[in-house]
Amino acid sequence: MPRLRRHASRRRGLQRYGVVDASGALDVTTRELAIARMQDHGVTPINWTTVAVELQRDWSLPTGQDLGRVFHDHYHTYGLLMDSFESKTAKAVQKAS
């Protein structure tokens, strides 16, 4: 079996990430095998939400509320958490005034 060459980014000590939920795999087995191959080559699998949060860096930035809304719409439990927080915050503000 031929030996694979090390990728240039790996030689330079750079970290490599693969966004696995954007891979287009049609079934679980195909996706898991693709992830295993990536890991064998030094790629760390992550998902789109991890990429979004890393790019956001600070939720107080102007894009924080918009990204929070995207999470709200894509993740049911996160949406419930946000709705509960907003409800409690609104009640506290109303009580204080």
Side-chain angles (χ1 to χ4, degrees):
M1 180 177 273
R3 191 171 156 203
L4 296 174
R5 291 185 332 179
R6 290 183 71 185
H7 192 273
S9 63
R10 202 164 165 196
R11 282 194 305 269
R12 286 182 262 157
L14 300 175
Q15 295 177 332
R16 296 179 295 162
Y17 297 92
V19 184
V20 296
D21 51 352
S23 67
L26 299 177
D27 60 66
V28 173
T29 303
T30 302
R31 187 177 79 120
E32 288 177 356
L33 291 171
I35 291 169
R37 283 193 310 275
M38 286 187 276
Q39 287 176 310
D40 286 346
H41 293 281
V43 175
T44 301
I46 58 175
N47 63 15
W48 72 267
T49 54
T50 303
V51 173
V53 169
E54 290 289 331
L55 292 172
Q56 180 61 40
R57 294 181 109 27
D58 184 344
W59 288 98
S60 68
L61 294 173
T63 52
Q65 283 189 333
D66 292 336
L67 182 58
R69 192 59 41 200
V70 170
F71 284 8
H72 178 281
D73 295 345
H74 282 82
Y75 294 106
H76 179 70
T77 52
Y78 190 81
L80 293 174
L81 176 67
M82 285 182 68
D83 292 344
S84 174
F85 175 77
E86 288 173 4
S87 173
K88 295 283 185 190
T89 303
K91 286 179 185 174
V93 168
Q94 193 176 41
K95 204 176 208 183
S97 50

